[in-house]
């Protein structure tokens, strides 16, 4: 027996590094995702100082890292 989760509409508040990364993975798993940001421009890179290797690797895989 296979169970599938229902497709959900998800609203993510914040377009720093975590918001778009979460949106990427939720969308990839079939959810409808909207990201909102109160700033005029998304930060894009977020706070990269002190990022551990695993975090940088994940950012690279999701396209969030330049």
């Amino acid at each position: 027996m296979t169970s599938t989760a229902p497709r959900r509409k998800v609203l993510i508040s914040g377009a720093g590094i975590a918001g778009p990364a979460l949106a990427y993975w939720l969308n990839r798993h079939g959810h409808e995702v909207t990201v909102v940001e109160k700033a005029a421009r998304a930060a894009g890179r977020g706070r990269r100082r002190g990022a551990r290797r695993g975090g940088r690797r994940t950012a690279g895989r999701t396209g969030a890292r330049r």
Side-chain angles (χ1 to χ4, degrees), residues 8-65:
R8 306 232 183 225
K9 290 184 178 182
V10 180
L11 175 65
I12 298 172
S13 175
I17 190 71
L22 177 60
Y24 172 84
W25 290 108
L26 288 172
N27 182 267
R28 195 161 166 180
H29 286 276
H31 301 289
E32 184 180 333
V33 182
T34 302
V35 179
V36 295
E37 173 60 52
K38 73 177 184 175
R41 240 174 50 129
R45 290 184 166 194
R47 185 176 177 196
R48 290 183 60 204
R49 278 194 193 144
R52 297 191 179 191
R53 187 179 345 171
R56 283 182 270 171
R57 192 175 322 135
T58 300
R61 281 196 310 252
T62 63
R65 185 174 174 198

Side-chain angles (χ1 to χ4, degrees), residues 1-5:
M1 176 162 72
T2 305
S3 82
T4 58

